[in-house]
């Protein structure tokens, strides 16, 4: 399976397994959306991924705070 061009959203991306996963998937060509509460760490990680030739976007968000998460949500209908 190829990940090139598939966008991957990663929660907990500011450290640990989430950060490692983000780096790995970006190295395989997947644009990554980095999500976590610590936006400063996300910004650093996004810059490092982009410096290595990947694509990354950082969103500081607490996924346990549903009302604040709703503006980031999108809907896609399947036929």
């Amino acid at each position: 399976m190829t990940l090139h061009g598939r966008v991957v959203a990663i929660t907990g991306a500011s450290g640990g397994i989430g950060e490692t996963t983000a780096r790995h998937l970006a190295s395989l060509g997947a644009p990554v959306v980095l999500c976590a509460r610590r936006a400063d760490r996300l910004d650093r990680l996004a810059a490092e991924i982009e410096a290595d030739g990947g694509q990354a976007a950082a969103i500081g968000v607490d996924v346990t705070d549903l009302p604040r998460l709703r503006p980031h949500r999108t809907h896609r209908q399947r036929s």
Side-chain angles (χ1 to χ4, degrees):
M1 174 173 77
T2 180
L3 292 176
H4 187 74
R6 293 182 182 234
V7 177
V8 180
I10 302 165
T11 60
S14 62
I17 293 170
E19 179 179 351
T20 301
T21 301
R23 289 182 189 278
H24 178 68
L25 294 175
S27 76
L28 296 176
V32 292
V33 179
L34 311 170
C35 304
R37 293 174 298 197
R38 298 178 289 186
D40 58 323
R41 289 187 175 192
L42 294 178
D43 291 337
R44 175 195 48 81
L45 177 57
E48 291 173 4
I49 288 171
E50 290 176 349
D52 289 337
Q55 296 178 32
I59 300 175
V61 64
D62 181 350
V63 297
T64 65
D65 187 355
L66 189 57
R68 292 191 66 196
L69 188 60
R70 289 194 191 281
H72 300 289
R73 184 179 65 182
T74 60
H75 292 282
R76 193 166 101 183
Q77 292 182 343
R78 297 185 187 264
S79 46

